[in-house]
Amino acid sequence: MKKTLGLALGAGGARGIAHIGFLQALDEAGIRPSFVAGSSMGSIVGACYCKGMKPAEMLDIVRELKPSDIVNLGISPITKLGLMKWTKVRRMMSDFLENSDFSDLSIPFCCVAVDLISGRLAELSSGSVVDAVLASGSIPTVFRPVEREGMLLIDGGVLCRVPVKQVKKMGADVVVAVDVLGKCRPVEKVNNVVSLIMRTYDIMDAYKTATQKRGLRRYYDLWLEPEMGNVNQYRVKFDQSVYDAGYVCGLRNAEKIAALLER
């Protein structure tokens, strides 16, 4: 009997499109996960996949996505804790996920967010999937935090970029982590206060994740980092090279993953 596969899809903004390519490669190889956990962009891709959306469908959607489909500026960013409201994104995600509950998904799924009230990581695996993935992807200062069950939730990547421990806890025998951010790369310049905040966050995140990776070694069997150079995770415009990087990563490692499942 084959072992069960758990995928931990990491945070990464625009670089998270690589997750779609990775899932497409696994589908072509006949490898299907039994469990999926996601953080931030990884939670959005993971939730759609677990709902039954094909990677090719996701690719068609992101190819057509425009900034105007996402950007929805609020009038009081300081008092409302974020530059943008969730209205447009919520409507879009509700269409994709059909307002599903976690129990409606065809593959068990969980995602992570950070509760500003307690300062702790929140593992979300019940209730509204849309609320959960919006919370997991709520980039601090950019999107408003999501209120849920007495918590005030922001981006899961703040504390947990790649949720390997969570997918292992779900019951996966073999855990494959897909980290689309990888190491901290140099930038040409920092233009304004928003890019200053984002760059500071990126630097802290890279070093925190490197430390966590060593401590989490017993929870994962394979840690993959699709190679996509210096692609900016905060861009909205579709970049085919990001999808291709995930696809190539999946192709190159499909045989290795299959072998882990047969051991």
Side-chain angles (χ1 to χ4, degrees):
M1 184 177 177
K2 280 188 177 182
K3 295 180 178 179
T4 57
L5 172 64
L7 296 181
L9 305 182
R15 293 171 69 93
I17 302 304
H19 291 311
I20 301 175
F22 182 79
L23 291 169
Q24 177 64 38
L26 291 196
D27 274 6
E28 291 176 8
I31 299 172
R32 189 168 173 80
S34 298
F35 307 95
V36 177
S39 179
S40 198
M41 187 61 177
S43 75
I44 294 173
V45 174
C48 289
Y49 184 78
C50 291
K51 180 67 177 67
M53 189 179 289
K54 300 294 185 185
E57 294 177 70
M58 289 187 253
L59 179 60
D60 287 342
I61 290 167
V62 296
R63 274 180 173 153
E64 301 301 320
L65 200 61
K66 304 182 295 295
S68 59
D69 296 326
I70 297 173
V71 175
N72 190 13
L73 294 175
I75 58 172
S76 304
I78 295 178
T79 58
K80 295 297 183 182
L81 304 180
L83 295 172
M84 289 195 284
K85 298 184 288 185
W86 279 114
T87 311
K88 289 185 178 181
V89 180
R90 178 178 289 279
R91 187 181 305 123
M92 181 169 56
M93 292 307 302
S94 294
D95 288 341
F96 299 156
L97 295 170
E98 300 174 343
N99 290 315
S100 297
D101 187 275
F102 276 84
S103 61
D104 299 324
L105 302 178
S106 58
I107 299 174
F109 170 72
C110 84
C111 61
V112 294
V114 175
D115 177 24
L116 287 174
I117 305 300
S118 67
R120 296 177 180 175
L121 189 70
E123 298 175 5
L124 309 176
S125 58
S126 63
S128 166
V129 180
V130 172
D131 284 350
V133 297
L134 293 185
S136 185
S138 182
I139 302 170
T141 72
V142 178
F143 285 105
R144 294 176 180 178
V146 173
E147 294 184 42
R148 176 182 165 118
E149 298 173 2
M151 297 181 289
L152 193 60
L153 299 169
I154 60 169
D155 198 304
V158 170
L159 289 179
C160 178
R161 189 162 93 188
V162 188
V164 292
K165 188 175 181 179
Q166 287 70 28
V167 78
K168 185 69 172 180
K169 189 164 66 174
M170 292 172 75
D173 298 317
V174 173
V175 172
V176 175
V178 186
D179 180 9
V180 296
L181 288 176
K183 300 175 179 64
C184 188
R185 293 163 297 279
V187 295
E188 291 183 5
K189 55 185 176 180
V190 178
N191 295 318
N192 51 51
V193 68
V194 174
S195 60
L196 170 63
I197 293 170
M198 295 298 103
R199 180 58 178 167
T200 302
Y201 173 70
D202 290 346
I203 293 170
M204 292 190 299
D205 176 53
Y207 284 94
K208 172 206 69 186
T209 302
T211 302
Q212 287 181 342
K213 182 181 174 183
R214 291 190 292 271
L216 293 170
R217 185 65 189 85
R218 68 185 183 278
Y219 294 105
Y220 66 87
D221 299 272
L222 198 58
W223 185 288
L224 304 176
E225 297 180 5
E227 180 50 55
M228 55 194 108
N230 289 328
V231 173
N232 188 337
Q233 66 164 312
Y234 301 111
R235 66 181 296 171
V236 176
K237 187 178 179 182
F238 174 73
D239 187 334
Q240 181 69 38
S241 70
V242 174
Y243 171 87
D244 292 342
Y247 182 71
V248 169
C249 181
L251 286 181
R252 288 177 175 170
N253 289 281
E255 189 173 327
K256 189 180 295 184
I257 294 169
L260 286 170
L261 296 174
E262 295 287 355
R263 282 183 185 173

